[in-house]
Amino acid sequence: MRFTRQTAVALLAVAALFSATACSSSDDPATAEKDVEVFTWWADGGEKAGLDGLVAQFGTACPDFAFVNGAVAGGAGSNAKSVLASRLQTNDPPSTFQAHAGAELSDYINAGQVEDISAEYTEWGLTSAFPKGLIDNITVDGKIYSVPANIHRANVLWSNKTVLAKAGITADATTLDAFIADLDKLKAKGVATPLALGKDWTQVMLLESVLISDLGADKFTGLWNGSTDWKGADVTAAIEKFKKLLTYSNADRDTYDWTDAEKLIMDGKAAYQLMGDWEAADLDAKGFKDYGYSVFPGNTGTFQWLADAFVLPKGAKNVAGTKCWLKTVGSAEGQKAFNVKKGSIPARTDVSSDGFPAYQQAAMTSWKGDKQVPSCAHGSACSQGLQGAIVSAAGKFSTDGDVAALQNALAAAAAQFAAKK
Ligand code: GAL
């Protein structure tokens, strides 16, 4: 073979490829035990800002380790969860991943995909740092497998203040009927989208808020523990109202993530959006100041909660690094650095409200005084199987508007997944 310039270039390319492979983080002893891959769906805006806050604290508390961002974009984990499922299935877990406290976390526990960290709870003094109700929620057979980072509120109505003022709306509606009257006013004023809405899981959030309004907190919680009948007339009435609300929303809702719907508010094309309080952080991160917020009409006194938690996956490559991440997540400093930017409030009870934006200060008060109900769209109320079935029933309803079909599908899904417990 003649040694030409092309041969030399080709050989160099092959050598570069080999050395790149040899130096990949998992093989190189210098980096293998340093990297901590944190898998979330917090890729942009306020979500990323919250993660950045936590990462900064991790840098201070865990100087021996390096954060590696494994975020997969898409609201509520709509893309991340399937990527994670296949990684767990092929024994390629990240160092840690985000999961919702409650039923969703139980899925990973029951599948044997996460480690018991009860001993670390004692070592790090976490057992008394979180409220008892939350600890109960994340305890399975006496063991704890996750560290909650926050408490988010799902049932919040966000608005564009100028759009409301122009339509003469000066007070927050506290009943669904009053809300519908306001939506009519906006429509009459020519507002293109009185109620901005996104795809599947965001529609499930709206349906859950309507169910809370119509059924009340206790009966709503009963939908998830089997004590409320999904086939009841009160559920039918709530679905009818949900159907009515869809008529005020953008027709292209099924193609929108929550941030696309939020943009309609920011652009003044929409008046309201029902969304979790990550929206506060996102609007702040995007510099939009003209927003208002109130509890969803008819939900007053009820705090629909969810919590993001982190775990130690079975087979995680860097256990010491992951534990340092988890310890940071559970620390008062970590919870402050994260929640100030994320729109949520600390799960710990000993973090002072000083330095938090006004929205979170109000949420802290509501969290203490309100009745707490869980969220299925965000895993505190239902397993991933039930959540998936409800999301797909809602998606179908968005197209066909068939009230009886939706109610039957919800009842069938609840029965199917209750039978599996
Ligand atoms: C939730 C998650 C929040 C926020 C939201 C929108 O499921 O708990 O932290 O990220 O999705 O993506």
Side-chain angles (χ1 to χ4, degrees):
M1 178 176 94
R2 264 183 53 220
F3 194 81
T4 61
R5 203 167 154 264
Q6 283 94 326
T7 324
V9 170
L11 284 175
L12 275 177
V14 170
L17 191 68
F18 269 108
S19 72
T21 314
C23 290
S24 79
S25 63
S26 56
D27 295 345
D28 181 355
T31 59
E33 295 301 317
K34 210 168 161 35
D35 290 352
V36 178
E37 189 202 354
V38 178
F39 186 97
T40 69
W41 53 86
W42 298 329
D44 302 296
E47 301 188 297
K48 169 87 167 37
L51 180 61
D52 287 348
L54 196 49
V55 172
Q57 181 59 29
F58 176 66
T60 307
C62 307
D64 293 342
F65 301 106
F67 167 82
V68 174
N69 196 348
V72 175
S78 44
N79 306 318
K81 282 187 187 173
S82 51
V83 173
L84 177 65
S86 65
R87 285 189 61 176
L88 294 180
Q89 212 149 35
T90 54
N91 291 322
D92 175 31
S95 310
T96 183
F97 62 84
Q98 165 194 2
H100 289 123
E104 180 182 308
L105 202 59
S106 302
D107 285 343
Y108 297 111
I109 298 170
N110 296 337
Q113 291 165 326
V114 290
E115 298 281 4
D116 170 15
I117 51 167
S118 310
E120 282 71 22
Y121 258 66
T122 315
E123 190 186 324
W124 301 339
L126 293 185
T127 320
S128 56
F130 297 119
K132 185 176 176 305
L134 182 60
I135 291 279
D136 289 349
N137 238 286
I138 57 172
T139 305
V140 174
D141 294 333
K143 294 174 182 160
I144 304 183
Y145 298 80
S146 67
V147 180
N150 63 357
I151 301 290
H152 263 306
R153 184 175 197 170
N155 55 341
V156 188
L157 189 67
W158 306 91
S159 57
N160 178 311
K161 281 189 185 169
T162 301
V163 173
L164 295 190
K166 278 191 186 154
I169 299 169
T170 50
D172 298 329
T174 54
T175 64
L176 273 180
D177 288 343
F179 183 45
I180 288 172
D182 285 346
L183 292 169
D184 281 329
K185 272 188 211 160
L186 290 156
K187 216 174 188 174
K189 285 278 176 193
V191 174
T193 306
L195 180 61
L197 193 57
K199 64 181 177 179
D200 48 37
W201 63 271
T202 72
Q203 295 168 22
V204 172
M205 287 185 74
L206 182 62
L207 174 61
E208 289 190 65
S209 291
V210 174
L211 284 164
I212 294 170
S213 296
D214 264 21
L215 272 61
D218 293 342
K219 277 195 97 179
F220 173 80
T221 300
L223 291 169
W224 311 108
N225 63 26
S227 63
T228 300
D229 187 2
W230 276 100
K231 292 190 178 142
D234 43 6
V235 174
T236 318
I239 298 176
E240 292 284 4
K241 284 189 193 148
F242 171 61
K243 181 174 177 173
K244 171 97 179 144
L245 290 181
L246 292 188
T247 65
Y248 299 97
S249 74
N250 39 306
D252 52 1
R253 57 184 175 256
D254 295 328
T255 64
Y256 273 26
D257 205 335
W258 70 277
T259 41
D260 303 312
E262 177 198 53
K263 188 159 186 311
L264 294 178
I265 300 272
M266 293 169 63
D267 291 347
K269 292 181 180 153
Y272 292 111
Q273 182 187 9
L274 177 276
M275 191 39 59
D277 49 14
W278 42 90
E279 183 135 336
D282 203 56
L283 291 167
D284 289 348
K286 290 172 178 166
F288 181 75
K289 295 192 170 44
D290 190 25
Y291 70 89
Y293 51 82
S294 63
V295 62
F296 186 76
N299 282 207
T300 307
T302 302
F303 190 116
Q304 190 183 28
W305 73 275
L306 58 117
D308 296 303
F310 284 91
V311 296
L312 172 61
K314 279 235 162 87
K317 288 180 196 74
N318 182 358
V319 173
T322 300
K323 285 190 180 169
C324 210
W325 172 264
L326 296 178
K327 190 175 178 185
T328 306
V329 169
S331 68
E333 297 79 7
Q335 301 238 323
K336 175 129 198 200
F338 177 61
N339 287 293
V340 158
K341 296 282 180 201
K342 183 68 169 67
S344 41
I345 60 175
R348 287 182 71 110
T349 52
D350 59 354
V351 180
S352 131
S353 61
D354 293 353
F356 276 87
Y359 168 76
Q360 278 107 309
Q361 303 224 3
M364 286 179 196
T365 308
S366 303
W367 172 241
K368 283 191 200 123
D370 285 5
K371 215 163 204 168
Q372 297 166 8
V373 301
S375 149
C376 178
H378 302 286
S380 46
C382 66
S383 65
Q384 295 194 56
L386 180 51
Q387 183 190 74
I390 291 179
V391 163
S392 80
K396 189 168 166 290
F397 185 74
S398 180
T399 312
D400 67 19
D402 185 336
V403 171
L406 175 58
Q407 190 167 9
N408 287 336
L410 295 173
Q416 181 192 347
F417 288 95
K420 274 193 166 178
K421 269 183 200 157

